[in-house]
Structures are given as C-alpha cells and as structure tokens.
Amino acid sequence: MKAFTEHTGVVAPLEAMHVDTDQIIPKQFLKRIERTGYGDVLFYDWRYLDDGTTPNPDFELNRGRYKNASILLAQDNFGCGSSREHAPWALSDYGFRSILAPSFADIFYNNCFNNGLLPITLPGDVVNALFTEVRAQEGYALTVKLAEQEIVKPDGGVITFDIHPFLKQRLLHGWDQIGLTLQHEDKITAYEQAHGIA
Amino acid sequence: MAKTIYQKIWDAHLVAEPEEQDAIVYIDRHYVHEVTSPQAFEGLRLSDRKVRRPELTYATMDHNIPTTKRTGPIADPLSRAQVETLAGNCADFGIACFDMDDQRNGIVHVVGPELGLTLPGMTIVCGDSHTSTHGAFGALAHGIGTSEVEHVLATQTLLQKPSKTMEVRLNGAIQPGVTAKDIVLAIIGRIGTSGGTGYVIEYTGDAIRAMSMEARMTICNMTIEAGARAGLISPDETTFAYLENRPYLPQDKPFDALKEEWRAWASDPGCAYDTVVEIDVDAVEPQVTWGTSPEMVTGISGQTPMLDAEADENKRLAYEKALQYMGLAPGTPITEIAVDKVFIGSCTNGRIEDLREAAHVLKGHAIAPTIKQALLVPGSQQVKRQAEAEGLDRIFIDAGFEWREAGCSMCLAMNDDRLEPGDRCAATSNRNFEGRQGKGGRTHLVSPAMAAAAAVTGRFCDVRSWDYK
C-alpha cells in the first residue's frame, strides 16, 4: 500500500455536512470490477451537468483555482452511508491525499487507511476558519506532516491533530494489513483448533 | 463483573492482541455479494493467497440482478460481468454461492437470517454497511470495505479496535400503526446520523422484547444510518423461536443445547454502557423523512423545518439545500406531500412481516391514479414464495402493484429499477440520499404500512386512522 509521510498541496473546500458515499461515487460506477479509474467520476452528480460530461460551474471544486487540489476540506460526518471502498478509491484516484473534517463516518475512515489516504479530524471551529482562509486566498496550500501530527499553514501557523498510533504507523510505512496479520498465523490456527474449526 | 453482549462477543473472539497494533478478531461468518468483492478476490490472486475458510463464507447476488422475470442473461453487460465474476470467484475459491436462479437467492441480509446462517454470539462481516442487520440475533455484525473483505478471505480475521457502547433503551409500548421502522427513524432523528459514530449500539427495553425478529432486524439494519457500525439485541425466546428448524443450523448439537449456549451471550443484568439514550416509544408517531439524510425526519403530523428556526449555520445550509433538492418549501405539512412512486422492499423492509403489514393496508384498496409506479420487491425468493403461499401477491397485484423477483432493486437503483429525475417516492428502504434511487429522484423513507397508505391516497397520510378492509 501507498505510504503517507508528508504532503503539501492546494486545499479545495466542499461545504456540505453528511457528504455520503453515494455522492462521492454514485452506484452506476460500482459495476466495475477494478480498483482504479474512478477519479473522473468522483462527485459525479454534483460535478457534471445533466449531460454527464460538462463540468457544473456551480460546483466549487470545478473552479480553476482548485484544479490541482490534493487536500479536501469537508464538514461533519464525511463519508457516511455505504461501505463502498470505491469512495476512497475515487478520492485517491482524483489526486486527494488527505481530507480534513470535523468528523468522519467509521467505515469510510477505516477504508481510507487501506488506500494511503489520510483523514484528519479537527475541531469544528478550526475547520470553519480554514474554509474562510481557503476561499480568501487563491492557491492556499497546507503541508501535512504525519510523523509530527502537524498541519502547517501558509503563514507558518501550525495545527496539531490526533491520530491512533497504529493507524499512523500503518500509513507511515504503507504496511499491508494482511501481511501484518499473517505474522500471527500460528495464533489463528490455535484459535481455530481450540474452537473446533478444522 | 457484569458484561454487555458486546464485551462477551469481543472477548470470545480475540485471536491476538499484538503490541501497538489493533486486536486480531476471529470472524465466524463472512457474507459476500457481487459489488464489493471482485477487487478482493483479484487481490488474493495477485498475492497468490487462498481463502482460509471457504466453508465459513456464503455469497449471494443481490445488487445488480433484475427483479423482472429472469428468463435470460442480464441485459446490462457491466451488471452481467459483475454477477458472472462473483460466480467464477466462488467456483474458483470453493465458496457456496446462491446465484440468481437459486431458490435461496435474495438480499444478503434477508437470506443469512432466514437460512439460519446468522446466529447469536457470532462475529459477522460483509462488504456492505447494512450488515448491522444481523445484530438483531445478538451477533456482532458490521460492514467492511473491500480491502477488509480480502483480509477476511485470507485470514478469517479482522483487525479491530474496541468500540464504545451505547444503550438505546426503548421504554413503553408501540402504538398500533407504528412500526419498528418508525421507531428507528425517530431514534436517528433524535441522535443524528453521526450520533452513533464510534459506538456499538445495544437496544434494550420492553419495546424491544415485544418485537418480532423482523422488527428487530429493521431496527439493527438502520443502526448504520445513526453512524454506529453495529447494532445489537440480546437473544431471547423470540430469537430462538425464529431460528428453530432453519436449514443451516449447526447439526452437531440438539436445539435445546444450542439455545442454552445462545442465551449465555445476552448482556448481564447491571452491565455498564459508555452512554445511555432513552426513548419513550408511546410518543412516537409514524415517521416520514423530508430531506436528504435519514436524520431529516418528522412525524406524520409534522412539517418541513422553518430555516430561520435553525441556529447552527452549517445545519441551516444543509436544510436549505435538502429542501431545494426535495422540491419542498419550508413549513410544508407532511400530509400535503404527494408522491409519484412507491417502493416496498429492501434489506430494511423486505421481509414477510413487512409484506403482511403493507398487504393489510392495501387489502380492498387500489393505488391512486396519480401513482406512476408501485413496486413490491420481496427481500428474498423465500419471502416471495411465502407471500404467494399466503395470497399476499394477489392483494398487491389487485391493488395495482408490480409483483417482482427478489433483490436490492430501487433501494439503490443499480439494476433497471430507478426513479426518473423529479420523481417523488415513498420508499421503505434506508437511505434518502440525493440520487440514491436514481439521479434527481426524491426519496421519503417510511414504513411499509405508510408506503402502502401513500400508494392508495397518493400522498402521505396517517396510517393510524386507516380504513382497513
């Protein structure tokens, strides 16, 4: 899996609560059997007009200044709804490396860590202030430092964040979960023998 | 020390607790469907891994399959490819698969319980958020992503952090005409769609004890809509009576012995929870969602919100956007909202009791001439056969409903069953997200009884004062 250590990128704002995974990637794109190629259809229903190809000028992410954004600024309960991993696949494929929000839905949050995508939970007032700053300054970029658990702002100001130590290590090293678990295969076998699973 | 059912199941399934890592938890049952599994099987092939315990895994096709007569292959080539990929993967890796033509086919969360594959005390996962349904049996069950599906296939375990526990105590007795769907919508309205984030919810109280297994499944199913990955209900005589004689029960022990084992999983008296929420169910009326999140819900006597009454700016913005999408003005009484389509089905409300409830309302009535389509999609082929044996299909057909084959259907519109832009639908499913039932479609979540009543009157009405025939 892709590791995450440090990343600097332009921030794009997505001003909506409860952005669900149906919005992140609508169902018609879940029929594919591959893990890649979802970036073009990220936020499909919001991003394109009814013809499905013309960018919707009212969708904030479509503005030129956010074209190469790689950090997404979002609101409460981002990623709620379905467990589809297509959501982090699409965000990642589009070019996002990190998402900042006051809260994330559990399954989505977990799925991000299996795809080298770093979700960062920040207090609501900090997120609201970031929305104001991002819109005020074209090209507004942040540097996310995972080892230090810090976000550095353009003015040099630093926002610190919490993250579970194991999730942090997994991302820093890009560890494969299955490989980690199989280091304990003897214990799985012992559990199965003790429970009559043969 | 008194333990909750969650703590008991967690403790009993711990394989290892490696230092500075998540715990490794054993998975007793893994359900698989066609949408979230192909990349997991591909991952196994790429890393040359096998399925560790194929006999603990069961697959069914549900999301993509047509609900019209299944006489030929699926017309949509992408849907067909996904379904065929699942069949191929199951054959290659030795997994039982209930394919489209199998009489056991249906929505994974309807099929597992009705076959007796879901049992108290189990850990159950599936690449599907509505796996929370199985918690109704006292199984710790939740949705996972595709990477985790691959992890479970390869190791029969999952890396997990312990959750916090929330008790949602349902006091009192439910009024006639009010159902489990109304109760769970009212709970979500109260705690919000992120109210349960980080928690496993255990439902307790007199109202839960009085509920059937179908009703309990509806409650646990929508627990994910409250943000909690899993809902749990301690098993009791109602659970055991439902399970008796189900075809996939363990055969190595008499049923009485199984019952005693299952009973031991129930939460101990006096156990402690991290948070407790109490709901007085006597006061809950039939619920209708008005917005694009399940928490945007009110009673049938209510109205859509007035925007200036909401102090939180983010919420006001969300309400405004939702009302605009739904084509509703602030302060609109729910009973003034007319619908174009009605959908009864899904893993939330596609079980036999749900169909009986809707048929009871529809009997002797016909759908309103303004209804463009009324769909009845049983949750499984077994539910369909049972309903036909009871003559419910005739009631639906006579009333003007289309009587379909089982599947997820218009809950998420991955097959051909979908809303057209602007269509307003009374739906018994679980999500009223923008475009969930089809781009531009407007979904109002309700109980099967409320959906049936709306089909007849053409608008939402209070089923508590229904003219039953």
Side-chain angles (χ1 to χ4, degrees), chain B residues 193-210:
Chain B
T193 49
S194 56
T197 303
Y199 288 93
V200 163
I201 294 179
E202 181 178 346
Y203 298 96
T204 66
D206 295 344
I208 282 288
R209 291 299 137 209

PDB file of all heavy atoms in Angstrom, chain B residues 193-210:
ATOM      1  N   THR B 193     -27.355  11.412  12.395  1.00  0.00           N
ATOM      2  CA  THR B 193     -26.690  10.367  11.604  1.00  0.00           C
ATOM      3  C   THR B 193     -25.245  10.162  12.010  1.00  0.00           C
ATOM      4  O   THR B 193     -24.608   9.222  11.552  1.00  0.00           O
ATOM      5  CB  THR B 193     -26.737  10.682  10.093  1.00  0.00           C
ATOM      6  OG1 THR B 193     -26.306  12.022   9.902  1.00  0.00           O
ATOM      7  CG2 THR B 193     -28.120  10.509   9.522  1.00  0.00           C
ATOM      8  N   SER B 194     -24.706  11.032  12.861  1.00  0.00           N
ATOM      9  CA  SER B 194     -23.361  10.742  13.378  1.00  0.00           C
ATOM     10  C   SER B 194     -23.406  10.519  14.885  1.00  0.00           C
ATOM     11  O   SER B 194     -22.373  10.399  15.524  1.00  0.00           O
ATOM     12  CB  SER B 194     -22.386  11.858  13.010  1.00  0.00           C
ATOM     13  OG  SER B 194     -22.865  13.099  13.473  1.00  0.00           O
ATOM     14  N   GLY B 195     -24.619  10.419  15.432  1.00  0.00           N
ATOM     15  CA  GLY B 195     -24.772  10.243  16.881  1.00  0.00           C
ATOM     16  C   GLY B 195     -24.149   8.954  17.391  1.00  0.00           C
ATOM     17  O   GLY B 195     -23.724   8.870  18.539  1.00  0.00           O
ATOM     18  N   GLY B 196     -24.095   7.942  16.534  1.00  0.00           N
ATOM     19  CA  GLY B 196     -23.565   6.653  16.963  1.00  0.00           C
ATOM     20  C   GLY B 196     -22.134   6.394  16.518  1.00  0.00           C
ATOM     21  O   GLY B 196     -21.609   5.291  16.714  1.00  0.00           O
ATOM     22  N   THR B 197     -21.499   7.389  15.907  1.00  0.00           N
ATOM     23  CA  THR B 197     -20.138   7.184  15.399  1.00  0.00           C
ATOM     24  C   THR B 197     -19.202   6.767  16.542  1.00  0.00           C
ATOM     25  O   THR B 197     -19.182   7.403  17.591  1.00  0.00           O
ATOM     26  CB  THR B 197     -19.621   8.470  14.716  1.00  0.00           C
ATOM     27  OG1 THR B 197     -20.533   8.819  13.673  1.00  0.00           O
ATOM     28  CG2 THR B 197     -18.239   8.256  14.129  1.00  0.00           C
ATOM     29  N   GLY B 198     -18.469   5.690  16.311  1.00  0.00           N
ATOM     30  CA  GLY B 198     -17.528   5.189  17.327  1.00  0.00           C
ATOM     31  C   GLY B 198     -18.162   4.240  18.329  1.00  0.00           C
ATOM     32  O   GLY B 198     -17.473   3.675  19.168  1.00  0.00           O
ATOM     33  N   TYR B 199     -19.475   4.053  18.213  1.00  0.00           N
ATOM     34  CA  TYR B 199     -20.196   3.195  19.165  1.00  0.00           C
ATOM     35  C   TYR B 199     -20.727   1.929  18.500  1.00  0.00           C
ATOM     36  O   TYR B 199     -20.978   1.895  17.295  1.00  0.00           O
ATOM     37  CB  TYR B 199     -21.417   3.918  19.732  1.00  0.00           C
ATOM     38  CG  TYR B 199     -21.106   5.035  20.699  1.00  0.00           C
ATOM     39  CD1 TYR B 199     -20.978   6.350  20.246  1.00  0.00           C
ATOM     40  CD2 TYR B 199     -20.951   4.774  22.054  1.00  0.00           C
ATOM     41  CE1 TYR B 199     -20.703   7.379  21.139  1.00  0.00           C
ATOM     42  CE2 TYR B 199     -20.679   5.800  22.950  1.00  0.00           C
ATOM     43  CZ  TYR B 199     -20.551   7.097  22.489  1.00  0.00           C
ATOM     44  OH  TYR B 199     -20.280   8.111  23.365  1.00  0.00           O
ATOM     45  N   VAL B 200     -20.938   0.920  19.364  1.00  0.00           N
ATOM     46  CA  VAL B 200     -21.844  -0.168  19.024  1.00  0.00           C
ATOM     47  C   VAL B 200     -23.085   0.082  19.869  1.00  0.00           C
ATOM     48  O   VAL B 200     -22.980   0.333  21.073  1.00  0.00           O
ATOM     49  CB  VAL B 200     -21.199  -1.525  19.366  1.00  0.00           C
ATOM     50  CG1 VAL B 200     -22.238  -2.622  19.407  1.00  0.00           C
ATOM     51  CG2 VAL B 200     -20.109  -1.864  18.354  1.00  0.00           C
ATOM     52  N   ILE B 201     -24.251   0.067  19.228  1.00  0.00           N
ATOM     53  CA  ILE B 201     -25.492   0.342  19.969  1.00  0.00           C
ATOM     54  C   ILE B 201     -26.137  -0.966  20.387  1.00  0.00           C
ATOM     55  O   ILE B 201     -26.283  -1.883  19.576  1.00  0.00           O
ATOM     56  CB  ILE B 201     -26.482   1.144  19.095  1.00  0.00           C
ATOM     57  CG1 ILE B 201     -25.927   2.549  18.809  1.00  0.00           C
ATOM     58  CG2 ILE B 201     -27.851   1.239  19.784  1.00  0.00           C
ATOM     59  CD1 ILE B 201     -26.827   3.411  17.933  1.00  0.00           C
ATOM     60  N   GLU B 202     -26.506  -1.081  21.648  1.00  0.00           N
ATOM     61  CA  GLU B 202     -27.347  -2.208  22.070  1.00  0.00           C
ATOM     62  C   GLU B 202     -28.736  -1.674  22.396  1.00  0.00           C
ATOM     63  O   GLU B 202     -28.885  -0.724  23.161  1.00  0.00           O
ATOM     64  CB  GLU B 202     -26.775  -2.928  23.293  1.00  0.00           C
ATOM     65  CG  GLU B 202     -27.674  -4.106  23.691  1.00  0.00           C
ATOM     66  CD  GLU B 202     -27.177  -4.923  24.881  1.00  0.00           C
ATOM     67  OE1 GLU B 202     -26.008  -4.775  25.279  1.00  0.00           O
ATOM     68  OE2 GLU B 202     -27.988  -5.709  25.412  1.00  0.00           O
ATOM     69  N   TYR B 203     -29.749  -2.282  21.777  1.00  0.00           N
ATOM     70  CA  TYR B 203     -31.129  -1.878  22.022  1.00  0.00           C
ATOM     71  C   TYR B 203     -31.709  -2.739  23.135  1.00  0.00           C
ATOM     72  O   TYR B 203     -31.578  -3.982  23.105  1.00  0.00           O
ATOM     73  CB  TYR B 203     -31.969  -2.041  20.745  1.00  0.00           C
ATOM     74  CG  TYR B 203     -31.483  -1.169  19.619  1.00  0.00           C
ATOM     75  CD1 TYR B 203     -30.615  -1.665  18.652  1.00  0.00           C
ATOM     76  CD2 TYR B 203     -31.863   0.168  19.538  1.00  0.00           C
ATOM     77  CE1 TYR B 203     -30.149  -0.861  17.617  1.00  0.00           C
ATOM     78  CE2 TYR B 203     -31.404   0.983  18.511  1.00  0.00           C
ATOM     79  CZ  TYR B 203     -30.546   0.464  17.560  1.00  0.00           C
ATOM     80  OH  TYR B 203     -30.088   1.265  16.548  1.00  0.00           O
ATOM     81  N   THR B 204     -32.320  -2.084  24.106  1.00  0.00           N
ATOM     82  CA  THR B 204     -32.914  -2.804  25.233  1.00  0.00           C
ATOM     83  C   THR B 204     -34.301  -2.225  25.517  1.00  0.00           C
ATOM     84  O   THR B 204     -34.714  -1.270  24.874  1.00  0.00           O
ATOM     85  CB  THR B 204     -32.040  -2.638  26.495  1.00  0.00           C
ATOM     86  OG1 THR B 204     -32.077  -1.257  26.876  1.00  0.00           O
ATOM     87  CG2 THR B 204     -30.591  -3.057  26.259  1.00  0.00           C
ATOM     88  N   GLY B 205     -34.958  -2.790  26.494  1.00  0.00           N
ATOM     89  CA  GLY B 205     -36.228  -2.225  26.950  1.00  0.00           C
ATOM     90  C   GLY B 205     -37.427  -3.054  26.534  1.00  0.00           C
ATOM     91  O   GLY B 205     -37.347  -3.939  25.684  1.00  0.00           O
ATOM     92  N   ASP B 206     -38.556  -2.734  27.142  1.00  0.00           N
ATOM     93  CA  ASP B 206     -39.791  -3.503  26.930  1.00  0.00           C
ATOM     94  C   ASP B 206     -40.199  -3.549  25.464  1.00  0.00           C
ATOM     95  O   ASP B 206     -40.670  -4.571  24.972  1.00  0.00           O
ATOM     96  CB  ASP B 206     -40.940  -2.862  27.731  1.00  0.00           C
ATOM     97  CG  ASP B 206     -40.701  -2.940  29.228  1.00  0.00           C
ATOM     98  OD1 ASP B 206     -39.832  -3.747  29.633  1.00  0.00           O
ATOM     99  OD2 ASP B 206     -41.366  -2.201  29.980  1.00  0.00           O
ATOM    100  N   ALA B 207     -40.043  -2.436  24.773  1.00  0.00           N
ATOM    101  CA  ALA B 207     -40.496  -2.385  23.381  1.00  0.00           C
ATOM    102  C   ALA B 207     -39.672  -3.334  22.509  1.00  0.00           C
ATOM    103  O   ALA B 207     -40.205  -3.946  21.574  1.00  0.00           O
ATOM    104  CB  ALA B 207     -40.416  -0.960  22.844  1.00  0.00           C
ATOM    105  N   ILE B 208     -38.384  -3.465  22.799  1.00  0.00           N
ATOM    106  CA  ILE B 208     -37.533  -4.394  22.035  1.00  0.00           C
ATOM    107  C   ILE B 208     -37.938  -5.834  22.332  1.00  0.00           C
ATOM    108  O   ILE B 208     -38.050  -6.672  21.427  1.00  0.00           O
ATOM    109  CB  ILE B 208     -36.048  -4.156  22.391  1.00  0.00           C
ATOM    110  CG1 ILE B 208     -35.523  -2.923  21.662  1.00  0.00           C
ATOM    111  CG2 ILE B 208     -35.184  -5.387  22.084  1.00  0.00           C
ATOM    112  CD1 ILE B 208     -35.326  -3.092  20.166  1.00  0.00           C
ATOM    113  N   ARG B 209     -38.166  -6.132  23.590  1.00  0.00           N
ATOM    114  CA  ARG B 209     -38.550  -7.509  23.969  1.00  0.00           C
ATOM    115  C   ARG B 209     -39.865  -7.917  23.308  1.00  0.00           C
ATOM    116  O   ARG B 209     -40.089  -9.087  23.028  1.00  0.00           O
ATOM    117  CB  ARG B 209     -38.662  -7.627  25.500  1.00  0.00           C
ATOM    118  CG  ARG B 209     -37.325  -7.524  26.216  1.00  0.00           C
ATOM    119  CD  ARG B 209     -36.360  -8.634  25.812  1.00  0.00           C
ATOM    120  NE  ARG B 209     -35.006  -8.105  25.598  1.00  0.00           N
ATOM    121  CZ  ARG B 209     -34.120  -8.634  24.766  1.00  0.00           C
ATOM    122  NH1 ARG B 209     -34.403  -9.706  24.050  1.00  0.00           N
ATOM    123  NH2 ARG B 209     -32.932  -8.083  24.618  1.00  0.00           N
ATOM    124  N   ALA B 210     -40.739  -6.947  23.088  1.00  0.00           N
ATOM    125  CA  ALA B 210     -42.049  -7.259  22.493  1.00  0.00           C
ATOM    126  C   ALA B 210     -41.969  -7.388  20.971  1.00  0.00           C
ATOM    127  O   ALA B 210     -42.916  -7.835  20.330  1.00  0.00           O
ATOM    128  CB  ALA B 210     -43.046  -6.164  22.871  1.00  0.00           C
TER     129      ALA B 210
END
